[in-house]
Amino acid sequence: GKAVDLVSEKTSINLSLLWFVIGAYALARLGQVFFDEAKEFVFARVAQRAVRGASLKAFNNDLFVCGVDEAGRGCLAGPVTAAAVILPKNYKNKLIQDSKKLNTHNRMKLYDEITSIAIDYSIIDIPNDIIDSINVLESTFLAMNKAISKIIRKADYIIIDGNKFKTKSKFKYECVIRGDSIYQSIAAASILAKVHRDNLMIKFSEKYPEYSFEKNKGYGTKDHRKAISKYGLSNIHRKSFNLKPI
């Protein structure tokens, strides 16, 4: 009888321990889900507070203004990308800011918003072989010119982020230093260019997983340079850049 009681007691203890472990695991999983959702909520709230009362200016509400910006100019791999966008007159969205000041979640949401409400927009990629052929600055001008040319008929005026631009066309434009932090239409273009290019680099990471393009987006991070040192250059690396390995 004592042996049976002892076995029964051990079984009861083992079952209790098993249920404790299952319960602890379930709580841990629920805690992780809660943490992830809470983190996303906090990021969204921080972004909203950051732009509250600090919305960017419209260049001129009486004109159809085309904002232009680029992404990826300083990367070691992938294209340089330019976007041009014409927002509706009197359109205002406080969440639209320089793409570098936004987290991924908010950039994606704003990309969908901008592409849905824009009078027109265009996004152009200039690949690494062209960058190596004519240099990255000329490639940036080329991307911007191509993007503008797609929607120029609907624009009254062009504003371009940066301190210089070169074109053979005769449209009216001006360059605005740090324009993506001043004018809404340039910031909108910066969002389109960055989201589009980031997504492209994520696709490239499937073909070239060793370089972690899904994380670095082609920028010269320490891990990216280590990968270059180990694996050499891929077909999308810019050979004319200083690709000094670590």
Side-chain angles (χ1 to χ4, degrees), residues 11 64-65 102 106 109 116 122 184 199 203:
T11 302
F64 284 114
V65 176
L102 300 168
N106 286 333
K109 288 182 67 176
S116 67
S122 176
Q184 184 177 231
N199 288 339
K203 289 182 180 178

Side-chain angles (χ1 to χ4, degrees), residues 1-207:
K2 289 184 178 180
V4 173
D5 289 343
L6 185 60
V7 170
S8 177
E9 184 178 345
K10 285 184 177 180
T11 302
S12 178
I13 291 172
N14 288 338
L15 285 172
S16 297
L17 181 61
L18 177 62
W19 282 114
F20 174 79
V21 171
I22 291 172
Y25 176 78
L27 285 174
R29 292 294 295 168
L30 285 172
Q32 185 62 49
V33 170
F34 174 78
F35 175 77
D36 290 342
E37 291 183 353
K39 182 173 67 172
E40 196 63 52
F41 174 78
V42 169
F43 281 159
R45 293 294 292 174
V46 168
Q48 289 174 354
R49 289 181 180 180
V51 300
R52 188 176 296 157
S55 58
L56 302 187
K57 297 187 292 184
F59 182 81
N60 187 328
N61 281 322
D62 295 326
L63 300 176
F64 284 114
V65 176
C66 174
V68 183
D69 203 358
E70 57 79 27
R73 183 172 158 185
C75 292
L76 304 184
V80 62
T81 301
V85 61
I86 303 170
L87 300 177
K89 293 179 181 178
N90 298 308
Y91 174 79
K92 203 73 174 172
N93 186 335
K94 286 187 175 183
L95 295 178
I96 293 178
Q97 299 284 316
D98 172 9
S99 63
K100 296 184 291 295
K101 298 177 182 178
L102 300 168
N103 63 47
T104 302
H105 175 75
N106 286 333
R107 275 199 303 267
M108 293 292 292
K109 288 182 67 176
L110 287 167
Y111 180 94
D112 291 340
E113 161 79 5
I114 293 164
T115 54
S116 67
I117 60 89
I119 301 299
D120 206 351
Y121 70 94
S122 176
I123 304 172
I124 298 293
D125 299 310
I126 301 299
N128 58 296
D129 57 337
I130 301 297
I131 293 172
D132 288 335
S133 175
I134 64 174
N135 78 50
V136 71
L137 180 60
E138 292 295 329
S139 296
T140 302
F141 293 157
L142 178 61
M144 288 179 167
N145 272 289
K146 284 179 173 289
I148 293 168
S149 69
K150 298 284 187 182
I151 61 174
I152 187 61
R153 295 178 194 174
K154 299 177 183 178
D156 298 316
Y157 198 73
I158 315 291
I159 53 175
I160 301 167
D161 186 60
N163 63 352
K164 64 173 65 174
F165 178 62
K166 185 166 69 174
T167 184
K168 294 180 180 179
S169 301
K170 295 183 179 180
F171 50 73
K172 296 179 180 179
Y173 75 90
E174 69 179 80
C175 295
V176 183
I177 297 173
R178 299 189 68 228
D180 50 7
S181 295
I182 301 172
Y183 292 117
Q184 184 177 231
S185 56
I186 296 180
S190 79
I191 292 168
L192 296 190
K194 180 162 179 57
V195 170
H196 170 88
R197 189 183 183 281
D198 283 359
N199 288 339
L200 189 62
M201 295 307 294
I202 291 170
K203 289 182 180 178
F204 277 132
S205 72
E206 297 172 3
K207 186 174 182 180

Side-chain angles (χ1 to χ4, degrees), residues 211-224:
Y211 301 99
S212 300
F213 289 140
E214 77 282 1
K215 295 179 181 178
N216 60 54
K217 308 302 187 295
Y219 285 94
T221 63
K222 185 176 181 180
D223 287 342
H224 185 183

